[in-house]
Amino acid sequence: MIIGSIVNGVVIDHIPAGRGMELYRYLNLEELQCEVALIKNAFSEKHGKKDILKVNEVIDLNFDILGYIAPQITVNIIKDGVRVQKIHPQLPNTITGVIKCKNPRCIVSTEQGLKHVFKLTDRENRIYRCIYCDTKAEPQSFL
């Protein structure tokens, strides 16, 4: 299989195998008019298998989403066929609009228009809690 090289764009590498499409959706890449390639289950010496997203345009990315969903990823910015920047997103201290509070009594469940906001309370175990009701986020409770 041959996937073309990128002249100007973004390569999101080291995505855990099977999670590339999830990142594709959360980053709203379907709205782009440029070429986007998702490579699933590519060989990785470190992880065995990985997913890769290639976007043939330099775009703004939500590093909070990237850091929360897959903090081990690498984002490479390509310009004129050369990598000019390599970014390792970190776990964000707060995250908005990615995790949904599961507490039916939480104010975000009853008040329309309030955004779901979670704060990082335990970096080592990647635990986030709702800022309104302190409910612990479920690991896969993405919006």
Side-chain angles (χ1 to χ4, degrees):
M1 177 172 23
I2 298 173
I3 303 290
S5 60
I6 300 232
V7 176
N8 292 302
V10 178
V11 177
I12 304 172
D13 199 0
H14 302 106
I15 303 167
R19 306 236 11 225
M21 195 62 180
E22 183 179 358
L23 274 182
Y24 179 90
R25 284 189 210 105
Y26 286 110
L27 295 173
N28 297 314
L29 298 180
E30 70 276 359
E31 296 176 6
L32 297 177
Q33 299 302 311
C34 64
E35 295 174 334
V36 178
L38 168 62
I39 303 163
K40 286 185 62 172
N41 298 317
F43 173 75
S44 169
E45 287 185 22
K46 286 185 180 180
H47 306 290
K49 290 185 178 184
K50 65 181 179 179
D51 289 359
I52 304 168
L53 278 167
K54 289 185 168 189
V55 180
N56 202 21
E57 187 175 292
V58 177
I59 59 170
D60 288 327
L61 293 170
N62 184 331
F63 288 102
D64 286 348
I65 290 175
L66 294 173
Y68 176 72
I69 293 176
Q72 71 277 20
I73 68 164
T74 303
V75 178
N76 297 297
I77 309 298
I78 313 295
K79 291 196 179 172
D80 297 323
V82 177
R83 181 180 67 200
V84 295
Q85 191 174 12
K86 185 175 189 174
I87 303 165
H88 297 280
Q90 302 295 312
L91 281 174
N93 290 324
T94 61
I95 190 158
T96 303
V98 177
I99 310 168
K100 183 176 181 182
C101 186
K102 298 293 185 181
N103 180 356
R105 294 187 199 145
C106 183
I107 193 167
V108 294
S109 299
T110 58
E111 293 291 324
Q112 292 184 1
L114 275 182
K115 294 186 179 203
H116 294 261
V117 181
F118 281 75
K119 65 182 174 187
L120 181 63
T121 57
D122 183 348
R123 185 167 295 278
E124 184 177 324
N125 295 309
R126 297 182 64 209
I127 295 174
Y128 283 84
R129 295 193 175 273
C130 176
I131 66 165
Y132 303 108
C133 69
D134 207 39
T135 297
K136 181 179 171 182
E138 296 300 320
Q140 295 299 318
S141 59
F142 305 115
L143 290 175

